[in-house]
Amino acid sequence: MKQVKRETLQQRAKVIWFTGLSGAGKSTLANELGKKLLDKSFLCTLLDGDSIRKGVNFDLGYNESDRKENIRRVSEISKLFIDTGVIVISAFISPTEEIRNLAKEIIGKDNFIEIFVNTPLDVCEKRDVKGLYKKARQGDLKNFTGISSPFEPPLNSEINLDTNNKNVAECVDEIWDLVWSQIALLPKDQLAV
Ligand code: ADP
């Protein structure tokens, strides 16, 4: 059955998992990578922390156990997609080794490609895309990652992206170089352009 889906969709389903601080660039890169995969005729879906927390996980907050439950549910959803043959691009802070290991365990190590969007806290805070760092510094947001809640840099990510010194296109190229051979059945020169 798995083989049939693979042959039908001409792809190996994997989860491409972005981890990093708020404002690191996870959603931006996940979106751009999604466009690139669709351009090349790969069927993929995007799971993003902000939208998942408005829908399926609307009932969860940011304490340790809710963060874990957030990732547990997302991982189970990701698994359903890969069982269907669809590539998943996931953008979640997923701040601790324990939480990322939980995701890896549910999804399966061989299906999990971990990308660390390694943007330093001061850069994320300067960007402050959603104004959340300001609120956290003022004490208006509890359990904010990097300020009042821990972020443990991943130890085993397949890519460590320096978004402070590389632009979005360069980061996407770096990701593509790593992922294409893991998701494609065809050689690179036969993929849609
Ligand atoms: P996150 O999803 O991690 O919270 P966002 O993607 O929402 O972060 O925001 C990241 C911000 O950083 C965006 O405004 C984006 O344009 C900017 N940025 C600058 N350089 C990069 C880069 N190389 N990769 C990704 N984002 C970048």
Side-chain angles (χ1 to χ4, degrees):
M1 190 69 171
K2 197 173 166 191
Q3 186 66 19
V4 174
K5 289 174 189 166
R6 204 178 259 191
E7 297 295 330
T8 304
L9 293 169
Q10 282 293 301
Q11 62 184 31
R12 292 188 186 91
K14 303 275 173 184
V15 176
I16 303 166
W17 187 280
F18 288 86
T19 173
L21 291 166
S22 174
K26 301 179 297 299
S27 302
T28 305
L29 294 171
N31 270 296
E32 290 306 312
L33 179 66
K35 283 187 212 159
K36 179 145 189 157
L37 293 191
L38 289 173
D39 268 0
K40 299 209 173 276
S41 300
F42 290 103
L43 181 62
C44 63
T45 192
L46 178 62
L47 301 178
D48 186 275
D50 289 343
S51 53
I52 288 281
R53 278 185 173 279
K54 282 188 194 125
V56 86
N57 287 351
F58 81 96
D59 55 328
L60 299 175
Y62 291 88
N63 63 36
E64 213 184 313
S65 71
D66 280 6
R67 283 177 188 267
K68 231 169 154 177
E69 178 60 9
N70 182 40
I71 296 304
R72 190 193 67 77
R73 290 183 198 169
V74 166
S75 304
E76 293 289 355
I77 294 167
S78 301
K79 197 161 177 274
L80 292 175
F81 274 109
I82 50 174
D83 287 348
T84 316
V86 178
I87 296 162
V88 181
I89 304 173
S90 296
F92 294 87
I93 294 174
S94 40
T96 62
E97 276 297 286
E98 187 190 357
I99 280 179
R100 291 184 294 265
N101 283 336
L102 173 70
K104 246 174 260 181
E105 229 166 76
I106 294 170
I107 291 162
K109 240 177 148 188
D110 292 345
N111 292 326
F112 192 88
I113 304 172
E114 185 176 277
I115 298 179
F116 179 24
V117 187
N118 187 1
T119 311
L121 179 64
D122 62 317
V123 176
C124 293
E125 194 163 358
K126 221 178 280 162
R127 289 180 186 166
D128 208 4
V129 197
K130 298 163 214 156
L132 298 177
Y133 283 94
K134 192 168 173 217
K135 279 192 189 163
R137 289 288 183 200
Q138 287 168 343
D140 296 335
L141 265 187
K142 280 207 288 186
N143 296 325
F144 192 73
T145 310
I147 308 286
S148 45
S149 185
F151 183 84
E152 300 169 3
L155 304 171
N156 299 306
S157 57
E158 263 118 310
I159 303 190
N160 188 324
L161 286 175
D162 178 4
T163 76
N164 199 24
N165 293 303
K166 276 188 184 152
N167 64 30
V168 173
E170 288 169 327
C171 290
V172 172
D173 283 348
E174 196 175 334
I175 299 165
W176 174 245
D177 282 346
L178 175 93
V179 301
W180 80 266
S181 60
Q182 299 190 46
I183 58 173
L185 294 184
L186 293 169
K188 203 176 191 178
D189 61 354
Q190 286 177 37
L191 296 176
V193 275

